[in-house]
Amino acid sequence: VLICTRARLHSIEVLFCWLLSFNTFIEKNMQRKRTAGQNASDSALHNAKKAAAAAKKASTNETRPDPGSERGFCSRVSAAGKYIFLLIIIPPFLNYASLQREGLLLQPKGGKLIDIGLGQKIYLTCKGQGQPVVMLDAPTGMSSDVWFQIQEDLSRLTQVCTYDRAGLGFSKRAMQNETTGMEKVWGVSTTGRMVDDLHRLTKEAKIEKPFILVGSELGALNGRFYSHIHDSEVSDLVLIDPIPEDIFTEDPWQQYWYKELVPSLQAMQFFAATGLNRMLLIFGWMKQPITGEHISEDLIQRQKYLLSNPAHQSGSVDEHFFLNESVFQVREISKYKPLSSGTSVTVITGDYFDELLPAHLNEAVAKCQKQLLEQTYPTAKHFQISGVDRKMLYRSPFAVTKHLATLVKRRKPKQESH
């Protein structure tokens, strides 16, 4: 790996030296042209002295272009073209070289890449020991880093596992020439496909069942789908700021999601591919999404790595773009396969979905979430944490951990008694 990394860095150095040599060559060539032009001008000036007076009268009312100006203009255009060329070529190459190195150095401690078969590899991190196991599924387009504080605190009671969905974080998305066979049933980056990945992951990683499944936003959709299909494997389902099915029937929400949010994420993906995100991070003009107390330096650097990684940004775009399809899949499963009465449901929300959204959008989400609970999970326990929104996972993690710890303690004696 070190040899490959050094080889890539050596390639970048060679490219950079070539560009500098190319720049020097152009400057010397232009200098020779300017010197030759100056010598020719001196000779012509000596020969034209005798006719200067007559020519002066004849050319009083005439104007002629200045060759020096034309040369100066061409020089400026050429110099500008060189610098634009350097700006276009160098950042992507430097970004790519950095990503290769960081991808190995910044992996979460204690994690491992699990081959779940069918060309798919998922990055799983488990901490703590004991049962019931708590499985955490991240919000839309985010890596498992979002659970860092909750996993750390809850792992003192039991084993807590997080994972990166395919295409996000350190999980590998199957190449286009590889097939899982599932794309004929579930589209890429939709809940059906993610649940199939998660089921195979728990099997390959030998996760003890039944476990407590916790999901936020898209992770909540995945948790619902998983619990309805594999009900014997889930003892408790926890939905944090769940995405309700009916939200995409609201025109204002559709406009916001597909006309504002998704295009902004696509721009972020483009900036990552061109290396601009890394430049913005270096100059402090871009901040990582996960903020709050007790954030380690490794986590900060990992967030910068993901912001600069076009593969991760592409996965985030896909999850947002196909969220409407994921919602449809969960709606259909809920109709035809009701949740087992042996699985408890807990819902955790804040005062609003996102404090940065206009009031009417937050109200639309709250209304649809209320309908979801009344129609689909009428016996669910609903806890509302005051003063927080969907960022509670890393801004107010202790409030979430408190409710999860209660579930763990309630299940722990029953399982340990066997």
Side-chain angles (χ1 to χ4, degrees), residues 149-163:
Q149 191 63 60
I150 293 175
Q151 183 181 29
E152 190 67 30
D153 295 338
L154 205 58
S155 63
R156 299 187 181 101
L157 295 176
T158 190
Q159 186 179 54
V160 185
C161 298
T162 63
Y163 76 105

PDB file of all heavy atoms in Angstrom, residues 149-163:
ATOM      1  N   GLN A 149     -21.106   9.466  19.629  1.00  0.00           N
ATOM      2  CA  GLN A 149     -21.262   9.657  21.074  1.00  0.00           C
ATOM      3  C   GLN A 149     -22.266   8.671  21.664  1.00  0.00           C
ATOM      4  O   GLN A 149     -22.054   8.117  22.749  1.00  0.00           O
ATOM      5  CB  GLN A 149     -21.713  11.088  21.375  1.00  0.00           C
ATOM      6  CG  GLN A 149     -21.649  11.455  22.857  1.00  0.00           C
ATOM      7  CD  GLN A 149     -20.240  11.423  23.417  1.00  0.00           C
ATOM      8  OE1 GLN A 149     -19.358  12.150  22.960  1.00  0.00           O
ATOM      9  NE2 GLN A 149     -20.013  10.569  24.396  1.00  0.00           N
ATOM     10  N   ILE A 150     -23.357   8.424  20.945  1.00  0.00           N
ATOM     11  CA  ILE A 150     -24.368   7.475  21.430  1.00  0.00           C
ATOM     12  C   ILE A 150     -23.784   6.071  21.524  1.00  0.00           C
ATOM     13  O   ILE A 150     -24.000   5.352  22.508  1.00  0.00           O
ATOM     14  CB  ILE A 150     -25.601   7.505  20.511  1.00  0.00           C
ATOM     15  CG1 ILE A 150     -26.314   8.864  20.626  1.00  0.00           C
ATOM     16  CG2 ILE A 150     -26.558   6.368  20.842  1.00  0.00           C
ATOM     17  CD1 ILE A 150     -27.475   9.033  19.680  1.00  0.00           C
ATOM     18  N   GLN A 151     -23.016   5.668  20.526  1.00  0.00           N
ATOM     19  CA  GLN A 151     -22.400   4.342  20.557  1.00  0.00           C
ATOM     20  C   GLN A 151     -21.406   4.237  21.709  1.00  0.00           C
ATOM     21  O   GLN A 151     -21.360   3.218  22.415  1.00  0.00           O
ATOM     22  CB  GLN A 151     -21.691   4.049  19.230  1.00  0.00           C
ATOM     23  CG  GLN A 151     -21.090   2.645  19.175  1.00  0.00           C
ATOM     24  CD  GLN A 151     -20.377   2.364  17.872  1.00  0.00           C
ATOM     25  OE1 GLN A 151     -19.847   3.270  17.231  1.00  0.00           O
ATOM     26  NE2 GLN A 151     -20.362   1.108  17.451  1.00  0.00           N
ATOM     27  N   GLU A 152     -20.627   5.277  21.917  1.00  0.00           N
ATOM     28  CA  GLU A 152     -19.628   5.259  22.987  1.00  0.00           C
ATOM     29  C   GLU A 152     -20.295   5.117  24.354  1.00  0.00           C
ATOM     30  O   GLU A 152     -19.857   4.317  25.196  1.00  0.00           O
ATOM     31  CB  GLU A 152     -18.809   6.548  22.930  1.00  0.00           C
ATOM     32  CG  GLU A 152     -17.584   6.557  23.827  1.00  0.00           C
ATOM     33  CD  GLU A 152     -16.519   5.579  23.395  1.00  0.00           C
ATOM     34  OE1 GLU A 152     -16.413   5.300  22.174  1.00  0.00           O
ATOM     35  OE2 GLU A 152     -15.791   5.073  24.273  1.00  0.00           O
ATOM     36  N   ASP A 153     -21.350   5.872  24.604  1.00  0.00           N
ATOM     37  CA  ASP A 153     -22.020   5.845  25.910  1.00  0.00           C
ATOM     38  C   ASP A 153     -22.799   4.551  26.123  1.00  0.00           C
ATOM     39  O   ASP A 153     -22.748   3.954  27.209  1.00  0.00           O
ATOM     40  CB  ASP A 153     -22.970   7.042  26.030  1.00  0.00           C
ATOM     41  CG  ASP A 153     -22.236   8.366  26.034  1.00  0.00           C
ATOM     42  OD1 ASP A 153     -21.035   8.374  26.352  1.00  0.00           O
ATOM     43  OD2 ASP A 153     -22.860   9.392  25.688  1.00  0.00           O
ATOM     44  N   LEU A 154     -23.516   4.103  25.100  1.00  0.00           N
ATOM     45  CA  LEU A 154     -24.359   2.916  25.242  1.00  0.00           C
ATOM     46  C   LEU A 154     -23.537   1.627  25.313  1.00  0.00           C
ATOM     47  O   LEU A 154     -24.010   0.618  25.872  1.00  0.00           O
ATOM     48  CB  LEU A 154     -25.348   2.858  24.075  1.00  0.00           C
ATOM     49  CG  LEU A 154     -26.656   2.098  24.295  1.00  0.00           C
ATOM     50  CD1 LEU A 154     -27.428   2.694  25.465  1.00  0.00           C
ATOM     51  CD2 LEU A 154     -27.505   2.139  23.025  1.00  0.00           C
ATOM     52  N   SER A 155     -22.323   1.653  24.761  1.00  0.00           N
ATOM     53  CA  SER A 155     -21.488   0.447  24.767  1.00  0.00           C
ATOM     54  C   SER A 155     -21.026   0.074  26.175  1.00  0.00           C
ATOM     55  O   SER A 155     -20.486  -1.020  26.371  1.00  0.00           O
ATOM     56  CB  SER A 155     -20.274   0.638  23.860  1.00  0.00           C
ATOM     57  OG  SER A 155     -19.438   1.681  24.332  1.00  0.00           O
ATOM     58  N   ARG A 156     -21.235   0.949  27.168  1.00  0.00           N
ATOM     59  CA  ARG A 156     -20.917   0.602  28.552  1.00  0.00           C
ATOM     60  C   ARG A 156     -21.934  -0.391  29.115  1.00  0.00           C
ATOM     61  O   ARG A 156     -21.660  -1.062  30.113  1.00  0.00           O
ATOM     62  CB  ARG A 156     -20.895   1.858  29.418  1.00  0.00           C
ATOM     63  CG  ARG A 156     -19.853   2.889  28.999  1.00  0.00           C
ATOM     64  CD  ARG A 156     -19.765   4.025  30.006  1.00  0.00           C
ATOM     65  NE  ARG A 156     -18.781   5.021  29.596  1.00  0.00           N
ATOM     66  CZ  ARG A 156     -19.085   6.177  29.015  1.00  0.00           C
ATOM     67  NH1 ARG A 156     -20.359   6.482  28.810  1.00  0.00           N
ATOM     68  NH2 ARG A 156     -18.158   7.032  28.660  1.00  0.00           N
ATOM     69  N   LEU A 157     -23.105  -0.484  28.464  1.00  0.00           N
ATOM     70  CA  LEU A 157     -24.162  -1.381  28.928  1.00  0.00           C
ATOM     71  C   LEU A 157     -24.229  -2.674  28.127  1.00  0.00           C
ATOM     72  O   LEU A 157     -24.537  -3.739  28.674  1.00  0.00           O
ATOM     73  CB  LEU A 157     -25.528  -0.683  28.834  1.00  0.00           C
ATOM     74  CG  LEU A 157     -25.758   0.531  29.726  1.00  0.00           C
ATOM     75  CD1 LEU A 157     -27.128   1.139  29.428  1.00  0.00           C
ATOM     76  CD2 LEU A 157     -25.669   0.142  31.198  1.00  0.00           C
ATOM     77  N   THR A 158     -23.966  -2.583  26.813  1.00  0.00           N
ATOM     78  CA  THR A 158     -24.142  -3.738  25.942  1.00  0.00           C
ATOM     79  C   THR A 158     -23.349  -3.539  24.653  1.00  0.00           C
ATOM     80  O   THR A 158     -22.672  -2.518  24.483  1.00  0.00           O
ATOM     81  CB  THR A 158     -25.641  -3.937  25.623  1.00  0.00           C
ATOM     82  OG1 THR A 158     -25.829  -5.183  24.971  1.00  0.00           O
ATOM     83  CG2 THR A 158     -26.173  -2.809  24.746  1.00  0.00           C
ATOM     84  N   GLN A 159     -23.447  -4.488  23.754  1.00  0.00           N
ATOM     85  CA  GLN A 159     -22.756  -4.338  22.467  1.00  0.00           C
ATOM     86  C   GLN A 159     -23.582  -3.453  21.538  1.00  0.00           C
ATOM     87  O   GLN A 159     -24.786  -3.654  21.379  1.00  0.00           O
ATOM     88  CB  GLN A 159     -22.530  -5.698  21.811  1.00  0.00           C
ATOM     89  CG  GLN A 159     -21.685  -5.607  20.533  1.00  0.00           C
ATOM     90  CD  GLN A 159     -21.441  -6.961  19.899  1.00  0.00           C
ATOM     91  OE1 GLN A 159     -22.382  -7.706  19.621  1.00  0.00           O
ATOM     92  NE2 GLN A 159     -20.176  -7.282  19.660  1.00  0.00           N
ATOM     93  N   VAL A 160     -22.910  -2.477  20.939  1.00  0.00           N
ATOM     94  CA  VAL A 160     -23.574  -1.526  20.049  1.00  0.00           C
ATOM     95  C   VAL A 160     -22.831  -1.525  18.714  1.00  0.00           C
ATOM     96  O   VAL A 160     -21.604  -1.345  18.681  1.00  0.00           O
ATOM     97  CB  VAL A 160     -23.583  -0.103  20.649  1.00  0.00           C
ATOM     98  CG1 VAL A 160     -24.383   0.837  19.757  1.00  0.00           C
ATOM     99  CG2 VAL A 160     -24.163  -0.115  22.061  1.00  0.00           C
ATOM    100  N   CYS A 161     -23.554  -1.720  17.629  1.00  0.00           N
ATOM    101  CA  CYS A 161     -22.936  -1.811  16.299  1.00  0.00           C
ATOM    102  C   CYS A 161     -23.483  -0.724  15.373  1.00  0.00           C
ATOM    103  O   CYS A 161     -24.682  -0.439  15.375  1.00  0.00           O
ATOM    104  CB  CYS A 161     -23.212  -3.176  15.671  1.00  0.00           C
ATOM    105  SG  CYS A 161     -22.518  -4.565  16.599  1.00  0.00           S
ATOM    106  N   THR A 162     -22.587  -0.143  14.602  1.00  0.00           N
ATOM    107  CA  THR A 162     -22.957   0.801  13.542  1.00  0.00           C
ATOM    108  C   THR A 162     -22.376   0.302  12.231  1.00  0.00           C
ATOM    109  O   THR A 162     -21.407  -0.469  12.217  1.00  0.00           O
ATOM    110  CB  THR A 162     -22.427   2.210  13.829  1.00  0.00           C
ATOM    111  OG1 THR A 162     -20.979   2.167  13.855  1.00  0.00           O
ATOM    112  CG2 THR A 162     -22.922   2.738  15.171  1.00  0.00           C
ATOM    113  N   TYR A 163     -22.962   0.741  11.136  1.00  0.00           N
ATOM    114  CA  TYR A 163     -22.428   0.336   9.834  1.00  0.00           C
ATOM    115  C   TYR A 163     -22.663   1.449   8.825  1.00  0.00           C
ATOM    116  O   TYR A 163     -23.549   2.286   8.987  1.00  0.00           O
ATOM    117  CB  TYR A 163     -23.077  -0.971   9.362  1.00  0.00           C
ATOM    118  CG  TYR A 163     -24.486  -0.822   8.843  1.00  0.00           C
ATOM    119  CD1 TYR A 163     -24.756  -0.873   7.475  1.00  0.00           C
ATOM    120  CD2 TYR A 163     -25.561  -0.640   9.713  1.00  0.00           C
ATOM    121  CE1 TYR A 163     -26.054  -0.738   6.994  1.00  0.00           C
ATOM    122  CE2 TYR A 163     -26.856  -0.513   9.235  1.00  0.00           C
ATOM    123  CZ  TYR A 163     -27.095  -0.558   7.879  1.00  0.00           C
ATOM    124  OH  TYR A 163     -28.365  -0.425   7.393  1.00  0.00           O
TER     125      TYR A 163
END
